[in-house]
């Protein structure tokens, strides 16, 4: 069980270094085992983003709220923040970015994964968009296909395998169930409210007024089965 500061990304005492990133030790061990299994079948995988601190998540949130980073619709189109109400702006951010203190990346159990080979000696840059994984011509399609068949064997699942009215579809996001499941249960509404209230976060009144909905729609609504293969691979 993580402490409240570990759970909300305020400290890093629950983490270990792996491949230039930080993960929970149990997730790190499982990741390395999965990486080895993939390599045996000619598949290379690497972490694009592991642990993300509370401060970093807060910076992302505030820059999006202030218009310093782009806001996008559910379809990925750029939005003009000046034309949105505070509630609309809040939902636009939450579709693509977690509320600070609630990110699964805080726990060290979750990470974004990619195939580094297509991006070596190439002008191609990883964008972390679904087409890079799901489209047959996508640079990470082969890796994604392998993961849909084998990630569960190392204890991983895709929490955002499909869009369910909350967070956008993220075929690159893996979660180590043995760590993330108890963390998810620990993250209650009271702790979230305390964390948000303690932050210098843009839109704080709106967030606190809608926190129960945020938790239900964007934190608790995940894909807990291994549905990728049946949905996308036929």
């Amino acid at each position: 069980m993580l402490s409240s500061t570990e759970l909300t990304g305020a400290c890093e005492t629950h983490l270990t270094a792996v491949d230039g990133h930080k993960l929970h030790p149990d997730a790190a061990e499982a990741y390395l085992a999965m990486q080895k299994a993939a390599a045996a079948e000619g598949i290379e995988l690497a972490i694009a983003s592991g642990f993300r601190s509370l401060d970093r998540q807060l910076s992302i949130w505030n820059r999006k709220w202030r218009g310093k980073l782009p806001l996008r619709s559910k379809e990925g189109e750029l939005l003009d923040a000046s034309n949105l109400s505070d509630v609309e702006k809040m939902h636009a951010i939450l579709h693509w970015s977690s509320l600070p203190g609630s990110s699964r990346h805080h726990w060290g159990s979750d990470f974004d994964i990619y195939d580094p080979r297509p991006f070596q000696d190439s002008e191609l840059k990883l964008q972390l968009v679904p087409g890079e994984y799901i489209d047959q011509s996508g640079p990470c399609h082969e890796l994604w296909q392998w993961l849909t068949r084998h990630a569960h064997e190392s204890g991983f699942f895709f929490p955002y395998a499909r869009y369910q009215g909350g967070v956008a579809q993220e075929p690159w996001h893996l979660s180590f169930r043995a760590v993330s499941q108890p963390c998810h249960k620990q993250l209650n509404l009271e702790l979230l409210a305390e964390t948000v209230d303690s932050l210098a976060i843009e839109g704080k009144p709106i967030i606190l007024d809608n926190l129960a909905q945020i938790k239900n729609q964007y934190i608790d609504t995940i894909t807990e089965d291994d549905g990728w293969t049946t949905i996308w691979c036929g």
Side-chain angles (χ1 to χ4, degrees):
M1 180 177 290
L2 303 189
S3 69
S4 59
T5 52
E6 290 170 339
L7 194 66
T8 57
C11 74
E12 304 180 14
T13 50
H14 57 305
L15 304 172
T16 190
V18 59
D19 273 8
H21 297 271
K22 295 175 182 177
L23 294 178
H24 186 284
D26 294 346
E29 182 179 359
Y31 163 73
L32 291 173
M34 180 173 66
Q35 187 182 56
K36 183 177 180 179
E41 297 188 35
I43 302 294
E44 188 171 343
L45 52 89
I47 297 173
S49 177
F51 169 75
R52 196 174 300 145
S53 71
L54 175 61
D55 285 344
R56 184 180 172 197
Q57 200 70 35
L58 177 62
S59 174
I60 293 170
W61 180 279
N62 283 345
R63 283 182 290 157
K64 285 194 172 186
W65 190 279
R66 295 167 184 158
K68 303 295 184 180
L69 289 177
L71 280 180
R72 297 186 181 274
S73 70
K74 293 175 182 177
E75 293 74 33
E77 298 171 347
L78 285 173
L79 296 172
D80 184 350
S82 64
N83 292 331
L84 303 178
S85 68
D86 282 353
V87 171
E88 289 172 331
K89 192 188 300 186
M90 177 190 76
H91 284 291
I93 297 173
L94 287 167
H95 183 73
W96 299 103
S97 299
S98 298
L99 178 69
S102 76
S103 174
R104 299 177 68 92
H105 283 273
H106 293 333
W107 309 336
S109 59
D110 289 48
F111 52 87
D112 301 332
I113 200 162
Y114 76 111
D115 181 346
R117 292 172 298 180
F119 305 96
Q120 295 167 350
D121 303 319
S122 168
E123 294 183 359
L124 194 65
K125 292 186 178 180
L126 181 68
Q127 300 179 66
L128 290 180
V129 294
E132 292 174 317
Y133 295 77
I134 295 170
D135 294 348
Q136 289 189 358
S137 60
C140 297
H141 182 71
E142 184 182 13
L143 165 65
W144 174 74
Q145 290 263 291
W146 187 89
L147 290 170
T148 60
R149 295 191 296 271
H150 299 291
H152 70 279
E153 295 168 1
S154 297
F156 292 98
F157 74 105
F158 295 90
Y160 308 120
R162 48 186 175 267
Y163 176 60
Q164 298 185 107
V167 176
Q169 178 189 54
E170 294 188 353
W172 53 83
H173 186 134
L174 282 177
S175 181
F176 184 58
R177 193 186 301 273
V179 172
S180 64
Q181 193 169 60
C183 287
H184 191 176
K185 292 179 180 178
Q186 268 186 270
L187 192 65
N188 57 48
L189 201 56
E190 181 181 6
L191 177 57
L192 279 172
E194 290 175 358
T195 302
V196 171
D197 197 42
S198 72
L199 299 175
I201 187 170
E202 298 288 354
K204 184 187 291 187
I206 296 296
I207 295 168
L208 291 173
D209 284 348
N210 291 274
L211 196 56
Q213 180 190 357
I214 291 171
K215 185 174 186 298
N216 177 66
Q217 186 172 350
Y218 297 100
I219 300 171
D220 294 342
T221 301
I222 61 172
T223 305
E224 298 196 65
D225 58 31
D226 297 309
W228 274 118
T229 303
T230 55
I231 294 172
W232 298 109
C233 303

